[in-house]
Amino acid sequence: MEIGIGLPGHAPWRDGRILVEWARRAEARGFSTLSVSDRLVWNTPEPLLTLAAAAGATSRIRLLTSVLLGPLRANHALFAKAVATLDQLAGPGRVRLGLSPGSREDDFAVGGVDWDSRGKQLDLLLERLAEPVGLAPATAGGPPLLFGGGSRATVRRIVSHGTGWIAGDATVEDVEGFAPQVRTAWADAGKAGAPRVIASVMYALGPGAEAAVADAIGPYYAFAGEEYSQYGISIAYTSPEQIAAAIPAFERAGCDELIFMGNDPDPGQVDLLADVVLTGR
């Protein structure tokens, strides 16, 4: 199982150059993937722009949106060209797009996109991505697509357009519960190989780890109520022992890659995590 790292885009960062430094350190320390999340009505940086900056600061590490809110990209042709541009800037085989319909209605209200038709809009976007606009991607066939969510529509999109599933802020039980459905549908469709399964979890390390998690996750999940916000905080990983135990547990659950999402903007968090998960690998 590969180990990736996620930018602390939802955390209280204040200087975008810190995120670029995360990218440099993530590659230098040997992480498989650098991911970035997506929200409109939050301080989360725009994913494609952020990964373009990361692409310029690195040369090998894979770049992933985890997950990008596809329906908000209402100009499908412009989005297709933006994806091809990012793929060209990064070079063949580095970019992967994780996509989702979205789960926060305020993002769509501010973005001027109809909330109720977001699933249909995502399906239309997927069809447009298959047709290059003015610029061909560097990766043959374009960047691989993965999908977040836990619905039948998620399974359908994985089978029809994707290469796998992303479980966001996941537990081992989440993966064990949904990944078999994805694999069964994949096999039933006669697709070769197996769908890729990626799980992402929240982390912070060091003396201020628990406070960093509370400060980042608490407000971020406040829209869903106090109980859910506290749940999100409770399942985050804040000690080397917890992180070391999570890796074999997710691997046994069938994950191909586990991504630890940062909650403390300090780039030193990259090194703290690498010292735990990459030493001796």
Side-chain angles (χ1 to χ4, degrees):
M1 184 177 70
E2 295 181 298
I3 304 295
I5 191 168
L7 293 172
H10 64 287
W13 61 276
R14 293 180 176 83
D15 186 337
R17 291 168 294 186
I18 289 175
L19 303 180
V20 176
E21 178 60 21
W22 269 69
R24 292 193 184 100
R25 293 197 190 193
E27 177 166 277
R29 293 305 302 267
F31 287 98
S32 58
T33 295
L34 179 78
S35 74
V36 61
S37 57
D38 189 20
R39 281 287 316 283
L40 182 56
V41 188
W42 199 254
N43 69 318
T44 313
E46 201 288 317
L48 299 186
L49 288 174
T50 303
L51 292 184
T58 60
S59 60
R60 299 181 307 277
I61 193 169
R62 291 195 300 262
L63 307 171
L64 170 70
T65 59
S66 178
V67 290
L68 186 145
L69 306 180
L72 291 182
R73 278 67 188 182
N75 188 322
H76 298 167
L78 183 60
F79 178 67
K81 186 162 187 177
V83 169
T85 301
L86 173 60
D87 197 52
Q88 283 285 350
L89 293 172
R94 292 184 66 198
V95 175
R96 293 178 295 173
L97 288 183
L99 297 161
S100 169
S103 60
R104 285 287 304 266
E105 193 166 356
D106 55 352
D107 285 333
F108 290 80
V110 172
V113 177
D114 180 61
W115 166 256
D116 293 327
S117 65
R118 67 193 187 282
K120 180 180 179 180
Q121 289 300 316
L122 178 55
D123 289 334
L124 292 172
L125 179 66
L126 297 177
E127 297 298 332
R128 195 66 184 88
L129 275 176
E131 305 171 18
V133 182
L135 176 69
T139 302
L145 306 182
L146 303 104
F147 294 94
S151 67
R152 286 180 292 179
T154 298
V155 176
R156 171 178 57 79
R157 293 181 183 114
I158 292 170
V159 171
S160 63
H161 290 87
T163 60
W165 174 56
I166 299 178
D169 202 4
T171 64
V172 169
E173 291 74 22
D174 292 333
V175 175
E176 291 174 336
F178 194 69
Q181 299 178 47
V182 175
R183 294 192 181 100
T184 297
W186 187 274
D188 289 346
K191 295 178 70 72
R196 188 168 182 82
V197 174
I198 300 175
S200 67
V201 297
M202 298 287 199
Y203 93 96
L205 288 169
E210 293 184 2
V213 162
D215 290 345
I217 296 177
Y220 190 61
Y221 285 155
F223 77 96
E226 180 67 16
E227 183 176 351
Y228 186 80
S229 179
Q230 290 302 313
Y231 170 73
I233 293 170
S234 72
I235 63 172
Y237 295 84
T238 56
S239 75
E241 294 78 15
Q242 289 177 330
I243 288 173
I247 293 171
F250 276 95
E251 189 165 18
R252 287 192 298 269
C255 283
D256 298 296
E257 187 170 23
L258 180 60
I259 296 176
F260 289 91
M261 301 290 297
N263 284 268
D264 181 340
D266 181 1
Q269 288 286 314
V270 179
D271 298 308
L272 289 175
L273 181 63
D275 288 344
V276 175
V277 304
L278 297 180
T279 301
R281 289 179 68 93

